[in-house]
């Protein structure tokens, strides 16, 4: 089930922050705070003050009783009067109610999770648009932010549903409705797929004759069904129940939701709707057949198309837009919950994007805090001898090492100490050229927000050698395989070293 349209303009402006930039902390509201909090008093002091307050209240009560001249009615400390009134009315006390309440069957409020796996995948046209934009520049993008960008709108992703063989999914045709309940699809197959098999024509018939003082209306949907003595009332009532409420309640319970109203506007509305005559004409027959009612068309659909239309599948891909309005409510709720979890932590989408970006020729790398980024350039640390490069390149590298994440403007201000000099303009041009060369070679990373940083350094040779020695001591049988794998690695490293350009001197 794929969407036919996509909005590429939504993905042309990837203004994303690097993932290592901290999100702003929510400001705490201290409007209710008026001063320094009082220290908590000791418990014995609090108890002493409580006794004093109670003593003052008792004195005040005795003073009021003397003043009025009569004592108030004694307090019913144990609720004897209330229990007597409840027993008089046939009620039960709290202990008896609790005892009977424990014997009641407990209704489980938890919803049983569905035995399916839900994955969110980037929609191919949207993904190709993002790849083209990344390749057109030199900046790096956060994979975390890109994953959330794809999950932000349903036009940018699709949902893959995977079920087990013992509890498969059911689908109508190749791109039809999906459900875990076969009977649900069978009951509603005509409503879901009639547009693919029949052409519907609507005409106006003669006005309804007769005087009607009231009409029946569904309280749940607001649908006007017509007078109860009209010949079309029972078919419409049964059809509405089968389409929308048969999985919620029985037909007898649904009939209790029908009300009789005598509003003139509703009566006229029903008369106009009753004039509409819908005819169904087959689209896949050599000789088209026409049916005068939906009941006849559904009967033809079930006998001719439904047996070969319903199929069981273990995996199906649903378009993002359709995934938000699946007819199966349980499945729709499961997809919604999975989308909320994936938006909060899009690890699966990030993994899928990383694989596809590598296949598209882009480079995925880790930076600060181990966060993943994607760039059209292969980043690598600067390993050339500082004596063989220009002072401008050394100044850029030292400035970025001292203060990572600065912008080009801040870098120029830090490197060019005397901007009022006559040679400042030429130095700025030379500095901009050096920065661009470092970015093209991958020695400096430029993020999409304009910040600059150096790539992460590799492990020290001493640490690497120690790890190799410890591995060799614990796994002596793997020495032959390790020596066989060493030669290709060295050859690849030498090829990369020969192929790299030398820095400007």
């Amino acid at each position: 089930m794929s969407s036919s349209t996509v909005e590429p303009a939504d993905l042309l402006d990837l203004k994303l922050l690097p993932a290592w930039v901290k999100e702003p902390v929510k400001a705490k509201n201290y409007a209710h705070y008026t001063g320094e909090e009082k220290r908590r008093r000791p418990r014995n002091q609090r108890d002493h003050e409580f006794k004093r307050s109670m003593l003052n209240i008792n004195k005040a009560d005795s003073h009021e009783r003397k003043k009025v001249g009569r004592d108030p009615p004694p307090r019913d400390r144990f609720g004897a009067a209330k229990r007597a009134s409840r027993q008089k009315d046939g009620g039960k006390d709290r202990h008896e109610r609790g005892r009977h309440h424990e014997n009641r069957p407990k209704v489980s409020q938890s919803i049983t999770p569905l035995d399916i796996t839900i994955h969110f995948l980037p929609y191919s046209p949207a993904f190709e648009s993002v790849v083209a934009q990344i390749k057109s520049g030199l900046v790096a993008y956060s994979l975390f932010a890109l994953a959330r960008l794809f999950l932000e709108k349903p036009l940018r992703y699709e949902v893959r549903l995977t079920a087990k063989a013992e509890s498969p999914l059911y689908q109508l045709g190749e791109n039809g409705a999906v459900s875990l309940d076969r009977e649900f699809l069978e009951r509603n197959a005509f409503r879901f797929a009639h547009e693919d098999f029949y052409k519907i024509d609507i005409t106006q018939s003669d006005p309804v004759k007769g005087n009607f003082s009231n009409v029946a209306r569904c309280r749940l949907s607001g649908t006007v069904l017509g007078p109860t003595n009209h010949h079309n009332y029972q078919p419409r009532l049964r059809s509405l129940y089968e389409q929308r409420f048969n999985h919620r309640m029985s037909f007898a319970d649904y009939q209790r939701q029908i009300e009789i109203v005598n509003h003139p506007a509703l009566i006229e509305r029903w008369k106009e709707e009753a004039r509409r005559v819908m005819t169904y004409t087959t689209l896949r027959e050599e000789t088209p057949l026409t049916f005068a009612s939906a009941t006849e068309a559904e009967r033809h659909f079930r006998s001719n198309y439904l047996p070969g239309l319903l199929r069981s599948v273990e995996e199906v891909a649903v378009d993002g837009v359709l995934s938000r309005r699946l007819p199966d409510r349980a499945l729709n709720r499961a997809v919604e919950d999975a989308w909320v979890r994936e938006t909060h932590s899009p690890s699966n989408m990030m993994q899928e994007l990383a694989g596809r970006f590598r296949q598209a020729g882009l480079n995925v790398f880790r930076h600060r805090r181990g966060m993943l980024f994607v760039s059209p350039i292969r980043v690598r640390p600067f390993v050339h001898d500082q004596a063989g490069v220009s002072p401008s390149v050394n100044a850029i590298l030292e400035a970025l090492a001292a203060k990572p994440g600065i912008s080009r403007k801040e870098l120029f201000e830090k490197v060019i100490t005397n901007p009022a000099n006559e040679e400042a303009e030429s130095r700025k041009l030379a500095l901009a050229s050096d920065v661009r060369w470092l970015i093209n070679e991958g020695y400096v990373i430029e993020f999409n927000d304009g910040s600059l940083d150096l790539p992460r350094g590799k492990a020290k040779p001493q640490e690497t050698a120690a790890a190799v020695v410890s591995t060799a001591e614990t796994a002596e049988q793997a020495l032959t395989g390790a020596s066989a794998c060493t030669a290709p690695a060295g050859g690849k490293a030498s090829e990369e070293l020969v192929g790299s350009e030398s820095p400007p001197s």
Side-chain angles (χ1 to χ4, degrees), residues 17 23 64 94 105 135 145 167 201 287 311 363 438 467 486-487 503:
L17 290 174
E23 296 182 359
E64 290 295 331
R94 178 171 56 88
K135 287 185 176 181
S167 57
D201 296 322
T287 304
R311 65 192 186 106
N363 297 277
L438 289 172
T486 304

Side-chain angles (χ1 to χ4, degrees), residues 16 142-152 342-343 346-351 353:
L16 308 174
S142 166
L143 209 61
F144 180 85
L146 285 175
R148 282 192 167 181
L149 178 72
F150 277 95
L151 293 170
E152 184 180 6
E342 187 71 14
T343 304
S347 58
N348 294 328
M349 177 64 80
M350 290 174 62
Q351 184 177 0
L353 286 175

Side-chain angles (χ1 to χ4, degrees), residues 166-459:
E166 56 270 16
S167 57
L169 292 164
Y170 298 96
Q171 187 178 20
L172 290 176
E174 295 292 335
N175 301 315
V178 181
S179 176
L180 286 167
D181 189 357
R182 181 186 180 93
E183 295 181 357
F184 172 77
L185 278 185
E186 289 180 349
R187 289 194 306 266
N188 300 274
F190 179 75
R191 180 164 61 95
F192 296 151
H194 69 273
E195 295 180 355
D196 298 332
F197 298 90
Y198 300 92
K199 177 185 177 182
I200 302 176
D201 296 322
I202 301 176
T203 58
Q204 294 288 337
S205 62
D206 296 334
V208 179
K209 298 180 180 180
N211 296 325
F212 301 97
S213 58
N214 52 54
V215 291
R217 181 176 62 178
C218 174
R219 291 193 185 97
L220 302 178
S221 62
T223 305
V224 180
L225 301 172
T228 56
N229 58 350
H230 194 264
H231 68 277
N232 200 28
Y233 169 73
Q234 289 295 337
R236 290 199 63 184
L237 177 65
R238 176 64 68 170
S239 176
L240 182 61
Y241 168 74
E242 292 292 339
Q243 291 180 5
R244 302 184 60 176
F245 305 105
N246 60 346
H247 58 286
R248 300 189 196 177
M249 61 188 76
S250 63
F251 184 68
D253 293 336
Y254 177 67
Q255 285 181 314
R256 299 187 185 96
Q257 303 298 326
I258 305 301
E259 61 179 353
I260 305 300
V261 293
N262 54 4
H263 199 281
L266 292 178
I267 297 175
E268 292 299 325
R269 172 184 164 187
W270 168 77
K271 289 182 177 180
E272 290 297 325
E273 293 178 354
R275 292 185 59 190
R276 298 172 56 189
V277 178
M278 301 178 63
T279 58
Y280 296 81
T281 305
T282 58
L283 297 174
R284 302 188 180 187
E285 302 287 344
E286 295 181 359
T287 304
L289 302 176
T290 302
F291 303 96
S293 65
T295 305
E296 297 178 0
E298 184 174 359
R299 189 180 300 111
H300 177 268
F301 171 82
R302 291 186 176 277
S303 59
N304 293 272
Y305 301 128
L306 182 59
L309 189 64
L310 189 63
R311 65 192 186 106
S312 62
V313 293
E314 295 183 10
E315 184 176 298
V316 62
V318 184
D319 176 66
V321 178
L322 299 178
S323 67
R324 294 198 173 187
R325 46 185 177 88
L326 293 174
D328 190 334
R329 295 194 174 190
L331 193 59
N332 190 56
R333 189 184 303 111
V335 172
E336 182 180 355
D337 295 340
W339 179 84
V340 172
R341 293 192 301 269
E342 187 71 14
T343 304
H344 180 70
S345 178
S347 58
N348 294 328
M349 177 64 80
M350 290 174 62
Q351 184 177 0
E352 186 68 26
L353 286 175
R356 295 196 183 189
F357 280 142
R358 291 190 180 98
Q359 293 178 0
L362 297 175
N363 297 277
V364 179
F365 63 95
R366 292 188 180 274
H367 198 53
R368 297 187 181 275
R369 298 183 182 178
M371 298 300 294
L372 290 172
F373 291 84
V374 59
S375 172
I377 303 169
R378 185 176 66 87
V379 299
R380 48 186 173 169
F382 191 83
V383 295
H384 297 281
D385 187 7
Q386 294 185 357
V389 298
S390 64
S392 176
V393 173
N394 286 330
I396 293 172
L397 297 177
E398 292 175 358
L400 293 178
K403 188 178 180 181
I406 61 177
S407 62
R408 292 198 182 201
K409 181 180 179 181
E410 296 174 341
L411 178 63
F412 289 175
E413 293 175 354
K414 195 170 184 179
V415 174
I416 303 176
T417 57
N418 189 9
N421 193 359
E422 296 179 355
E423 299 179 356
E425 191 65 28
S426 60
R427 291 182 60 187
K428 288 183 179 179
L429 294 177
L431 186 62
S433 177
D434 292 339
V435 170
R436 183 173 181 82
W437 177 84
L438 289 172
I439 294 174
N440 285 331
E441 291 298 316
Y443 300 136
V444 173
I445 306 172
E446 183 179 15
F447 296 97
N448 62 293
D449 65 339
S451 60
L452 302 172
D453 201 355
L454 298 177
R456 290 201 313 176
K458 296 183 179 179

Side-chain angles (χ1 to χ4, degrees), residues 80-91:
K82 293 183 179 179
R83 286 201 304 272
S85 62
R86 284 200 300 266
Q87 292 176 0
K88 182 178 180 180
D89 297 336

Side-chain angles (χ1 to χ4, degrees), residues 76-197:
D76 187 9
R77 296 177 59 186
F78 300 99
K82 293 183 179 179
R83 286 201 304 272
S85 62
R86 284 200 300 266
Q87 292 176 0
K88 182 178 180 180
D89 297 336
K92 298 180 180 180
D93 60 2
R94 178 171 56 88
H95 299 286
E96 293 181 358
R97 292 198 308 273
R99 191 182 305 115
H100 287 282
H101 180 72
E102 293 177 356
N103 297 331
R104 294 178 183 176
K106 295 182 179 180
V107 180
S108 177
Q109 299 294 336
S110 60
I111 300 175
T112 305
L114 301 181
D115 194 10
I116 59 173
T117 305
I118 302 174
H119 287 291
F120 294 87
L121 309 175
Y123 185 48
S124 296
F127 177 79
E128 293 172 359
S129 177
V130 171
V131 170
Q133 182 178 172
I134 295 176
K135 287 185 176 181
S136 64
L138 301 174
V139 299
Y141 294 90
S142 166
L143 209 61
F144 180 85
L146 285 175
R148 282 192 167 181
L149 178 72
F150 277 95
L151 293 170
E152 184 180 6
K153 292 186 178 181
L155 288 172
R156 301 172 184 171
Y157 66 84
E158 59 184 6
V159 184
R160 184 173 62 195
L161 307 175
T162 306
K164 296 183 179 180
E166 56 270 16
S167 57
L169 292 164
Y170 298 96
Q171 187 178 20
L172 290 176
E174 295 292 335
N175 301 315
V178 181
S179 176
L180 286 167
D181 189 357
R182 181 186 180 93
E183 295 181 357
F184 172 77
L185 278 185
E186 289 180 349
R187 289 194 306 266
N188 300 274
F190 179 75
R191 180 164 61 95
F192 296 151
H194 69 273
E195 295 180 355
D196 298 332
F197 298 90

